[in-house]
Amino acid sequence: MIEIKDLVFEYPTKRALHNVSCEIRAGSITALVGPNGAGKTTLIRCIVGLHAPFSGSVTLDGMDVHRFPRECHRRMAYLSDFFGVYDGLTVRQCLTYTARAYGVEPKVVPAAVQTAATRLAIEDRLHQKAGELSRGLRQRLAIAQAIIHAPKFLVLDEPASGLDPEARHSLSNLLIGLRDSGMTLLVSSHILAELESYCTDMLIMRDGRIIDERGLGVSDVAGGAKRLKIELAHSFPSLEQQLGAQPGVAEVKLDGLAVGFVFAGDVQAQHALLKRLMTLGVPVTAFGEDKLGLQDVYLAHLRSQAAAPVAPPAFPREG
C-alpha cells in the first residue's frame, strides 16, 4: 500500500528524518508512536506530500507521491491535529464544499455527502451549523470531510486530542468501521491504550528513525509455532528449567508470576502440555496465547533505549 524508502528530511537547523524506511500494509490500522520531537508529524507530512524530502521516496500503490501529487491525493486523505471546519456553514454545506474541492462530480455530490454523513453517524446533523456541534461531532465532521472522495488511505494526526472518554470510544469504533470497509489508516497518537484497542500494526519512532516495525496481536512465530503465556498463583521454583525440558518448548522467559515461551504444537499438544504442568504441581491460573500489545512493546523500547541512548549521527551534510 504505502512504501517509504530511505526518506531524509531536513529543516534549516536540523535533520528531522534519517533514512526512514518502512511499509504500511493494505487493510491495516497502523499506529505511529514515539516521544515528542521524534519526527512523527514530519514523516506524516512527507507521506501525504506536504513536505518534499531531501532524498528518498514515498509510493502509494507504486505511484510516487511527490512526483504525482494530484493523482495520489485523490486516493488519500489527511486530517491534522489542528483541523478546522466552517462554523457558519451547515454540515451539509461543509461536506458539499469539500466534495467539490476534491473534484467530486456535481451530479454525485449529494450521494457522496449522504454516504460520508452516514458512515460518520452525523446524517441527523446535516441541517445543523458546524459551529453548534460538540467537539466529538466536529471531529466526526472533519473526518467525513476527509473521506468525502472515498480515499483508500486515511492519515490521522492525534485524532483523539481533546475528546472525552465517550467520544474516544466512539472514535475507536469508527476507525475500525472504516478499516472494515476497505480503508487503510495511519494514526499518530500519544494515547497508547486507545491505539491498542483498534490498531493492527505499529511503527515506533525516535530521533527521526523507525526503531521498530511490527504487527500487533500476533502470536505466531516462524515454523508455525506460537508464543504462549502462563500465569501463576504464586512462585514455583525451577519452573523455567522444568518448562524448558518439555517437548516443543523454547525461549522460556520468566516475568514475575508470568512466564512466556514459544511452543511448537497444535491445540491438542497445548492441552497435553498443560496437563503435564498441572501434574508437576505448577499453580497455573491462566494459559493461552501471548499476544503482542502496543503499550507493552513501546514501554519495553523506552526502557531499552534509556539504557542505551541513540548516539548523535555522524555524517557529512549533503550539498
Side-chain angles (χ1 to χ4, degrees):
M1 181 65 178
I2 293 285
E3 183 177 4
I4 300 152
K5 188 173 181 180
D6 299 327
L7 205 65
V8 174
F9 184 85
E10 293 184 346
Y11 291 107
T13 59
K14 70 173 289 189
R15 176 167 287 192
L17 300 178
H18 302 268
N19 299 100
V20 171
S21 296
C22 57
E23 292 186 10
I24 300 169
R25 64 184 182 88
S28 67
I29 303 180
T30 298
L32 178 62
V33 299
N36 290 332
K40 302 187 298 297
T41 296
T42 300
L43 177 59
I44 283 175
R45 291 180 67 84
C46 286
I47 289 173
V48 300
L50 296 179
H51 281 343
F54 182 80
S55 62
S57 63
V58 179
T59 57
L60 171 62
D61 289 337
M63 184 180 298
D64 191 294
V65 171
H66 300 97
R67 290 183 60 193
F68 306 99
R70 290 187 179 275
E71 291 84 347
C72 290
H73 288 164
R74 295 189 184 101
R75 306 183 186 189
M76 66 168 62
Y78 168 52
L79 184 63
S80 71
D81 51 347
F82 298 108
F83 67 87
V85 296
Y86 290 106
D87 290 347
L89 299 182
T90 65
V91 170
R92 185 186 300 277
Q93 289 170 332
C94 287
L95 293 174
T96 299
Y97 174 81
T98 307
R100 293 296 295 123
Y102 271 118
V104 178
E105 292 295 327
K107 63 182 179 181
V108 300
V109 165
V113 167
Q114 188 63 46
T115 297
T118 300
R119 293 177 80 177
L120 275 297
I122 54 173
E123 66 272 22
D124 59 336
R125 307 282 180 159
L126 286 171
H127 299 292
Q128 188 173 353
K129 286 191 175 182
E132 300 171 353
L133 300 177
S134 67
R135 177 69 171 80
L137 289 174
R138 288 168 66 87
Q139 179 81 299
R140 285 179 172 267
L141 171 58
I143 297 175
Q145 290 180 160
I147 68 169
I148 192 72
H149 60 304
K152 297 175 62 179
F153 179 50
L154 174 62
V155 182
L156 303 169
D157 194 358
E158 297 291 347
S161 177
L163 297 183
D164 60 36
E166 183 178 355
R168 287 177 179 175
H169 177 72
S170 180
L171 176 66
S172 298
N173 291 334
L174 166 64
L175 298 184
I176 292 172
L178 293 176
R179 190 274 312 274
D180 291 345
S181 72
M183 198 175 293
T184 299
L185 294 90
L186 174 65
V187 183
S188 174
S189 178
H190 289 93
I191 308 173
L192 300 183
E194 290 171 16
L195 284 173
E196 193 166 62
S197 70
Y198 56 79
C199 286
T200 61
D201 299 75
M202 73 179 299
L203 298 170
I204 301 179
M205 287 197 74
R206 184 171 185 261
D207 296 332
R209 298 171 172 84
I210 298 292
I211 61 172
D212 197 8
E213 175 182 6
R214 67 172 71 195
L216 296 171
V218 177
S219 61
D220 292 344
V221 293
K226 290 185 177 294
R227 297 186 187 278
L228 301 182
K229 183 177 181 180
I230 295 173
E231 295 181 12
L232 307 175
H234 53 79
S235 61
F236 187 81
S238 73
L239 175 61
E240 289 180 90
Q241 292 81 357
Q242 293 199 40
L243 182 58
Q246 300 298 318
V249 173
E251 300 181 28
V252 179
K253 294 181 180 179
L254 186 64
D255 183 12
L257 293 179
V259 58
F261 58 97
V262 172
F263 184 67
D266 57 16
V267 175
Q268 287 74 24
Q270 292 178 33
H271 175 66
L273 172 63
L274 178 59
K275 285 183 66 175
R276 289 196 296 273
L277 294 176
M278 298 295 287
T279 300
L280 292 171
V282 178
V284 177
T285 60
F287 180 96
E289 294 186 18
D290 186 10
K291 296 191 176 183
L292 300 174
L294 184 153
Q295 187 160 278
D296 292 337
V297 172
Y298 180 68
L299 293 177
H301 267 286
L302 286 185
R303 289 192 293 269
S304 65
Q305 292 297 320
V310 174
F315 54 81
R317 181 184 176 91
E318 288 91 339

